Amino acid sequence: MKQTRPLITEKSMALAQKGWYTFAVSVASRKETIAREIGQLYNVTVREVRTIHRVGKMHRTGRKMILKRRPDWKKAMVKLIKGQKIPVFEIGEEAKA
């Protein structure tokens, strides 16, 4: 899975404070592989994985305003065992202090 990246938005930062960390993953990835990959990347133990398949939106581009479709993607929400955190999502707490 090469496309695993954290989704940093207002909503995902609020969910991170509740223990759910949000990532954009490959459309073909399964929950088991997502859990293994996140565990290896951030040295954490994943307790639960929820996935959402997102359909790419249509948008207009170019001089002739041709309709193009953005690619489909998958969102994965990961819950860790108690006491573990992913440092990428801790940025918002430092800004508040």
Side-chain angles (χ1 to χ4, degrees):
M1 232 178 0
K2 292 182 181 179
Q3 299 175 340
T4 302
R5 62 183 176 84
L7 283 178
I8 306 295
T9 62
E10 264 184 64
K11 188 174 184 178
S12 68
M13 295 303 278
L15 285 170
Q17 291 178 350
K18 296 178 182 177
W20 287 96
Y21 299 94
T22 311
F23 295 89
V25 296
S26 170
V27 177
S29 59
R30 298 176 59 197
K31 290 183 180 184
E32 298 86 11
T33 56
I34 293 168
R36 190 177 336 110
E37 176 104 2
I38 300 299
Q40 289 174 354
L41 280 174
Y42 297 103
N43 198 20
V44 293
T45 305
V46 176
R47 191 176 85 183
E48 187 178 346
V49 178
R50 294 179 182 175
T51 58
I52 303 165
H53 184 264
R54 307 297 297 170
V55 177
K57 294 181 179 181
M58 298 294 289
H59 69 103
R60 294 176 183 266
T61 184
R63 187 172 181 181
K64 295 184 179 181
M65 299 302 275
I66 298 170
L67 274 176
K68 287 191 176 181
R69 187 166 177 257
R70 294 200 171 124
D72 295 345
W73 60 289
K74 186 182 270 189
K75 180 171 28 173
M77 293 171 42
V78 176
K79 187 155 185 97
L80 307 178
I81 62 172
K82 197 166 193 158
Q84 291 187 340
K85 294 183 178 182
I86 296 178
V88 175
F89 290 91
E90 302 302 317
I91 296 169
E93 293 179 8
E94 292 174 7
K96 290 179 184 176

